[in-house]
Amino acid sequence: MKIVVDYDECEANAVCVGILPDVFEVDDEDNLTVHQEYPPDDILGKVREAVDACPKRALALKQEDDA
Ligand code: SF4
């Protein structure tokens, strides 16, 4: 599974960072970075939580072959 970000929608409010700080980072210039685009299976539950929690619906989790 791959984390896909719609950077046009992301408003850098860091909700996802609060859920998974090892995966998501928002820097001082409000740029979102995804450190693990292909998250390991054992954190997929948390990734889904972050996807669902994003107030801008800017995150998605996709199968690698249709991403
Ligand atoms: S929760 Fe959504 S809008 Fe907020 S920083 Fe993460 S991706 Fe961007």
Side-chain angles (χ1 to χ4, degrees):
M1 302 293 278
K2 181 183 183 190
I3 298 172
V4 180
V5 181
D6 183 342
Y7 288 97
D8 291 334
E9 288 297 322
C10 174
E11 64 177 16
N13 53 39
V15 173
C16 54
V17 181
I19 294 170
L20 270 174
D22 291 343
V23 174
F24 301 103
E25 179 182 354
V26 174
D27 68 17
D28 292 343
E29 294 178 348
D30 284 352
N31 297 307
L32 175 68
T33 302
V34 180
H35 291 292
Q36 297 183 63
E37 256 193 320
Y38 297 94
D41 287 351
D42 61 338
I43 66 164
L44 280 181
K46 276 280 185 188
V47 174
R48 287 199 177 89
E49 197 182 308
V51 168
D52 290 344
C54 174
K56 300 296 290 181
R57 312 299 299 164
L59 297 175
L61 196 53
K62 297 201 169 160
Q63 297 284 348
E64 289 170 48
D65 50 14
D66 65 20

